[in-house]
Amino acid sequence: MSTATTELGRFLTITGQRFRTGQSAPEMFSPAVDKAWHELLGTPAYAALCLETAGQPIHHVANNGHGPIAWAAAYEAAYGPLPEIWFTDAARF
């Protein structure tokens, strides 16, 4: 599993947690992780990843917003500091 796919799984875990507590979907701000998401969308592997991590199907919705990343504290509490992949572009620069 690539680093981007691992981080996608962590993102989906946090998404599932947020949905279970009535919160909105978290903001995807990493082009590299989003690219991994697009590569898996619609595949049986993606469906399995969603069930394993979020406990439910997670739909991808494009959202070009800005502002604070509301879920970063939850991520850091569970996994530590956000790794570099979150701050790279889709080509991983």
Side-chain angles (χ1 to χ4, degrees):
M1 185 177 298
S2 73
T3 301
T5 304
T6 297
E7 291 304 309
L8 175 60
R10 291 176 175 181
F11 176 81
L12 294 173
T13 297
I14 290 170
T15 300
Q17 292 167 350
R18 289 177 61 90
F19 284 173
R20 284 189 291 281
T21 61
Q23 297 177 66
S24 63
E27 307 86 354
M28 170 54 70
F29 68 91
S30 168
V33 178
D34 192 52
K35 180 181 177 193
W37 197 354
H38 281 266
E39 290 170 353
L40 283 173
L41 280 172
T43 68
Y46 179 68
L49 182 63
C50 285
L51 291 178
E52 176 186 327
T53 58
Q56 66 184 54
I58 302 295
H59 303 285
H60 184 282
V61 177
N63 183 0
N64 294 323
H66 64 279
I69 305 302
W71 57 271
Y75 179 99
E76 291 179 347
Y79 306 111
L82 287 162
E84 187 175 305
I85 191 79
W86 283 98
F87 306 99
T88 60
D89 64 17
R92 299 207 178 149
F93 291 108

